[in-house]
C-alpha cells in the first residue's frame, strides 16, 4: 500500500487491487468457508412505494472468518469470482435462500420474493438451470418465490446463449431481474427480447438523484422505460427522504435501501414480513 499522507492512506489501500499475497490468503480462507459454516445470508427488504408494503427481500452474502473477522463482499466476491469459488458458493447461497424462503412459507408468509444474486460465471455454466430446479425441488418451493438478479454486464456476451438460459429459467417459473441497471451497455433492443421481470436502478444513480439533474434524468428515463416495457422498476441504495420523494413522484414501483432497512439476519426480517402472513 502507498502512503500518500494524512488520511489518504486508507483511500489508496481500498482503491488499489488486493496484493497477490492478500488475494491468495483470502482465496485459501474462502475455500474452507462453506465447510466451516462461516457463510451466512442477510436479507434486505424491498418496499412498494405506493403502499409501503414489503414485497420481498434480497439475499446478501456475509462471511465471518474466525481470525479475519467479517470480510465485506466487495473484498471477497471478486476473489471468489476470479478463483471460480463463486460457483460452489453461489450454489450454497441459492440453496440457503430457498431453505429460508421455505421457512417463511411454513410460518404462513406468502406472496414475497427472495432475490438471489447470480454471478456471470454461475449463469454461464451449463448446469445452472438444473441447479436452480434442484434448489427449488429440495425445499418444495413455488418457483415464483425466487428471483434471480443478473448483472447487466452478463447480458452483453453471447447473447444467444444468455437468451436461451434466461428462457429456460423463466420456464421453471423463477423471476429474473437486471441488477445495477444503467451501469453497463446493454442494448435496448435486446432488453425488449430478454424475458426479464424487473430492472434494478443502480445505487450510483440514486445517490444524487435529488440534486444532480443528470442523475435525475437517468432515473426518470429508466422508470419510464420500465413503464413502457411493462417491467417493474426498483431503486437500490435509497438512504434519504429526498431520494424517496423523487422516486415516488416519478412513479418508481419499489425501493430498497438503508432508509427502509439494512440487510439483516432472517429472524430480524421476519416481523417485517408479517404483513404478508396468511390470516
Ligand atoms: P448488489 O447486488 O448491488 O447489492 C446491493 C449492495 O448495496 C449490498 O452490499 C447492500 O448491503 C448495499 N446497500 C443496500 N442498501 C444500501 C444503501 O441504502 N446505501 C448503501 N450505501 N448501500 C446499500 P453488500 O451486501 O456489501 O454486497 C455488495 C455486492 O456483493 C452486491 O451488490 C453483489 O454484487 C455482491 N454480492 C452480495 N451477495 C452476493 C451473492 O450471494 N452472490 C453474488 N454473486 N454476489 C453477491
Ligand atoms: Ca443485487
Ligand atoms: Ca445492485
Ligand atoms: Ca449496485
Amino acid at each position: 500500500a502507498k502512503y500518500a499522507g494524512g488520511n489518504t492512506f486508507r483511500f489508496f489501500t481500498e482503491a488499489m487491487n488486493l496484493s497477490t499475497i492478500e488475494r491468495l490468503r483470502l482465496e485459501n480462507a474462502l475455500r474452507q468457508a462453506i465447510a466451516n459454516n462461516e457463510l451466512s445470508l442477510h436479507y434486505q427488504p424491498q418496499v412498494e412505494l405506493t403502499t409501503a408494503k414489503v414485497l420481498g427481500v434480497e439475499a446478501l452474502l456475509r462471511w465471518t472468518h474466525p481470525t479475519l473477522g467479517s470480510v465485506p463482499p466487495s473484498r471477497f466476491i471478486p476473489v471468489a469470482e476470479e478463483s471460480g469459488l463463486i460457483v460452489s458458493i453461489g450454489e450454497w447461497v441459492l440453496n440457503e435462500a430457498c431453505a429460508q424462503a421455505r421457512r417463511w412459507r411454513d410460518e404462513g408468509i406468502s406472496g414475497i420474493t427472495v432475490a438471489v444474486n447470480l454471478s456471470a460465471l454461475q449463469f454461464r455454466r451449463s448446469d445452472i438451470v438444473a441447479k436452480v430446479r434442484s434448489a427449488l425441488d429440495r425445499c418444495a418451493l413455488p418457483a415464483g418465490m425466487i428471483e434471480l438478479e443478473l448483472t447487466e454486464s452478463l447480458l452483453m456476451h453471447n447473447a444467444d446463449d444468455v437468451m436461451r438460459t434466461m428462457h429456460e429459467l423463466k420456464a421453471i417459473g423463477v423471476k429474473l431481474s437486471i441488477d445495477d441497471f444503467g451501469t453497463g451497455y446493454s442494448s435496448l433492443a435486446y432488453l425488449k427480447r430478454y424475458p426479464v421481470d424487473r430492472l434494478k436502478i443502480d445505487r450510483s444513480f440514486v445517490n444524487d438523484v435529488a440534486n444532480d439533474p443528470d442523475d435525475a434524468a437517468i432515473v426518470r428515463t429508466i422508470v419510464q422505460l420500465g413503464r413502457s416495457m411493462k417491467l417493474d422498476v426498483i431503486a437500490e441504495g435509497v438512504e434519504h427522504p429526498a431520494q424517496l420523494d423523487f422516486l415516488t413522484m416519478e412513479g418508481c414501483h419499489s425501493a430498497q435501501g438503508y432508509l427502509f432497512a439494512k440487510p439483516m439476519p432472517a429472524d430480524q426480517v421476519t416481523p417485517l414480513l408479517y404483513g404478508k402472513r396468511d390470516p
Side-chain angles (χ1 to χ4, degrees):
K2 287 192 184 87
Y3 182 69
N7 58 11
T8 48
F9 180 79
R10 257 177 62 86
F11 171 78
F12 273 111
T13 49
E14 279 171 9
M16 273 188 333
N17 289 329
L18 299 180
S19 72
T20 309
I21 289 174
E22 181 163 24
R23 190 171 286 269
L24 270 177
R25 201 160 58 107
L26 278 183
E27 185 182 325
N28 286 330
L30 201 50
R31 227 170 261 289
Q32 319 292 323
I34 298 180
N36 293 350
N37 264 318
E38 294 162 11
L39 300 181
S40 63
L41 293 181
H42 278 190
Y43 298 88
Q44 186 177 36
Q46 301 177 328
V47 179
E48 183 174 42
L49 293 186
T50 52
T51 62
K53 276 191 182 146
V54 177
L55 297 176
V57 293
E58 177 179 3
L60 291 157
L61 189 56
R62 296 293 177 260
W63 178 28
T64 309
H65 184 269
T67 56
L68 299 173
S70 158
V71 186
S74 57
R75 282 183 72 211
F76 74 81
I77 295 280
V79 174
E81 280 174 344
E82 278 159 39
S83 60
L85 285 168
I86 194 69
V87 173
S88 51
I89 290 173
E91 190 178 343
W92 180 87
V93 169
L94 192 60
N95 283 307
E96 178 57 28
C98 286
Q100 182 55 51
R102 179 75 253 170
R103 276 173 233 133
W104 278 322
R105 256 193 91 84
D106 291 344
E107 289 186 49
I109 294 162
S110 59
I112 60 157
T113 53
V114 178
V116 175
N117 292 285
L118 275 200
S119 96
L121 207 59
Q122 258 182 301
F123 182 84
R124 289 203 211 98
R125 284 177 59 103
S126 57
D127 58 359
I128 182 63
V129 179
K131 296 281 192 206
V132 170
R133 196 190 300 270
S134 92
L136 293 165
D137 287 351
R138 190 185 299 193
C139 302
L141 201 67
M145 263 189 98
I146 296 296
E147 174 173 308
L148 302 175
E149 297 194 359
L150 312 173
T151 56
E152 199 184 354
S153 55
L154 179 157
L155 306 178
M156 303 185 313
H157 307 288
N158 295 321
D160 289 345
D161 290 350
V162 168
M163 188 76 77
R164 179 165 19 84
T165 304
M166 287 176 95
H167 278 289
E168 286 174 14
L169 290 169
K170 279 309 293 178
I172 296 179
V174 294
K175 296 183 176 132
L176 299 178
S177 62
I178 303 184
D179 203 357
D180 303 338
F181 188 75
T183 57
Y185 300 89
S186 63
S187 128
L188 294 181
Y190 268 112
L191 184 60
K192 200 175 88 175
R193 292 173 48 204
Y194 286 129
V196 294
D197 301 280
R198 71 171 165 177
L199 308 175
K200 297 195 77 175
I201 305 177
D202 191 63
R203 191 171 78 219
S204 60
F205 302 119
V206 175
N207 256 340
D208 240 6
V209 82
N211 305 308
D212 182 326
D214 294 334
D215 287 337
I218 290 169
V219 169
R220 183 178 295 128
T221 303
I222 297 175
V223 169
Q224 286 169 359
L225 184 69
R227 191 175 298 132
S228 49
M229 291 184 133
K230 306 250 181 326
L231 302 173
D232 272 351
V233 174
I234 180 166
E236 64 179 18
V238 177
E239 295 180 357
H240 307 293
Q243 296 166 330
L244 174 59
D245 290 345
F246 179 88
L247 294 163
T248 306
M249 203 172 61
E250 293 300 327
C252 185
H253 175 255
S254 47
Q256 185 181 340
Y258 297 167
L259 180 63
F260 307 103
K262 293 203 167 181
M264 40 196 174
D267 58 332
Q268 288 175 34
V269 182
T270 303
L272 302 177
L273 303 176
Y274 280 167
K276 291 284 186 173
R277 196 154 55 161
D278 303 334

